[in-house]
Amino acid sequence: MRLTKRSYLTLAIILSLLALLHQPQAVAASQTETFRYHMTDEPHSLDPARNSVSDAAYFFPQLMRGLYTYSNAKGLVPEGAKRCSVQGLKISCELASKKWSDGSAVVADDYVRAFRHLLGKDSKNSALQLLSNLKNAIDVSSGKKPAADLGVASQGANKLVFTLQEPDPDFLFKLTSPLFVPIKSEKFPERDKASEIITNGPYKISEWSRGRRIRLVPDPQFDADA
């Protein structure tokens, strides 16, 4: 069979492409592809209690995980909770074994600290709208009662108990909010020192250049045995 000039050109292009696909550099590039997500509004803080921007609802679950998440296919999906049981106005949650990015265990007091912090007077979030049925939530948020009176308490390291003011069949679904995550401390680093924050989600921050980019890296402690 006699090849025309056009056929030779086509064959040369195909061979060049095949050679490129077998280059080690090309393989390496395919193995290091990066997922990029554009945020229209950068979070103002690493503190969930001080964030009200819509993009924070996508960003923070990459860093922090609470008791439950929600799936359209599966409904409630346990994360930090192994199981929760409802008995009248009491909701008791047995915690799953989870670790912080520094290797320490996530304990019930980390959740108590978070809920008290979320309902503090300096908070700028929608927590009170979801937690208004939690005992003393409104009075704690307004400063009429101390945070210790809020209807959430720890019973040992692995048991968390909520006390409601009246029955709330949707309370566990409310806990899927990205706001309701444990916190290691009420002090959060500034964004230019974001890599110092201790997280319990699938990623941690390696770099935060304000107005430019946020780089996340996998957290090896996520889902590791505590």
Side-chain angles (χ1 to χ4, degrees):
M1 181 178 67
R2 190 172 181 179
L3 295 176
T4 64
K5 184 176 181 180
R6 178 175 295 180
S7 300
Y8 275 118
L9 181 59
T10 301
L11 181 60
I13 292 173
I14 292 173
L15 292 174
S16 297
L17 288 173
L18 288 173
L20 181 61
L21 288 173
H22 286 83
Q23 289 284 337
Q25 296 91 330
V27 174
S30 68
Q31 293 174 346
T32 58
E33 288 181 356
T34 301
F35 171 74
R36 291 179 173 85
Y37 173 76
H38 177 70
M39 291 191 292
T40 56
D41 196 357
E42 184 177 85
H44 306 301
S45 169
L46 286 165
D47 183 353
R50 300 188 60 79
N51 262 301
S52 57
V53 299
S54 59
D55 279 317
Y58 178 85
F59 173 64
F60 278 102
Q62 312 310 316
L63 305 176
M64 300 287 195
R65 291 293 172 88
L67 297 168
Y68 286 95
T69 55
Y70 183 80
S71 164
N72 288 333
K74 299 178 181 179
L76 283 174
V77 178
E79 284 275 357
K82 185 179 292 184
R83 64 182 64 87
C84 291
S85 60
V86 181
Q87 295 179 330
L89 298 180
K90 298 280 188 181
I91 298 176
S92 301
C93 295
E94 181 184 351
L95 300 187
S97 296
K98 299 292 181 179
K99 286 186 176 182
W100 291 105
S101 55
D102 67 354
S104 60
V106 177
V107 296
D109 279 339
D110 296 328
Y111 284 94
V112 174
R113 182 182 302 110
F115 281 96
R116 291 177 178 178
H117 179 65
L118 278 171
L119 293 175
K121 290 192 295 183
D122 294 332
S123 298
K124 297 180 180 179
N125 57 72
S126 59
L128 185 59
Q129 299 173 30
L130 296 170
L131 297 177
S132 59
N133 193 30
L134 193 61
K135 184 179 178 181
N136 295 325
I138 294 176
D139 287 341
V140 169
S141 181
S142 65
K144 293 180 180 179
K145 289 188 176 181
D149 287 351
L150 185 65
V152 58
S154 61
Q155 293 184 359
N158 298 313
K159 187 175 182 181
L160 187 67
V161 179
F162 298 96
T163 303
L164 306 180
Q165 296 182 143
E166 58 185 53
D168 188 347
D170 294 327
F171 189 78
L172 293 184
F173 289 90
K174 293 175 182 178
L175 294 179
T176 64
S177 167
L179 283 171
F180 304 145
V181 297
I183 57 174
K184 185 79 169 177
S185 167
E186 291 188 36
K187 295 181 179 180
F188 294 85
E190 295 298 324
R191 287 176 288 175
D192 56 356
K193 295 183 178 180
S195 61
E196 297 177 5
I197 190 172
I198 298 174
T199 64
N200 75 324
Y203 296 95
K204 55 186 181 179
I205 299 173
S206 65
E207 176 194 356
W208 189 325
S209 300
R210 285 201 238 180
R212 297 183 60 201
R213 64 174 174 266
I214 303 172
R215 293 187 185 275
L216 305 182
V217 294
D219 176 11
Q221 301 293 346
F222 183 64
D223 275 347
D225 293 334

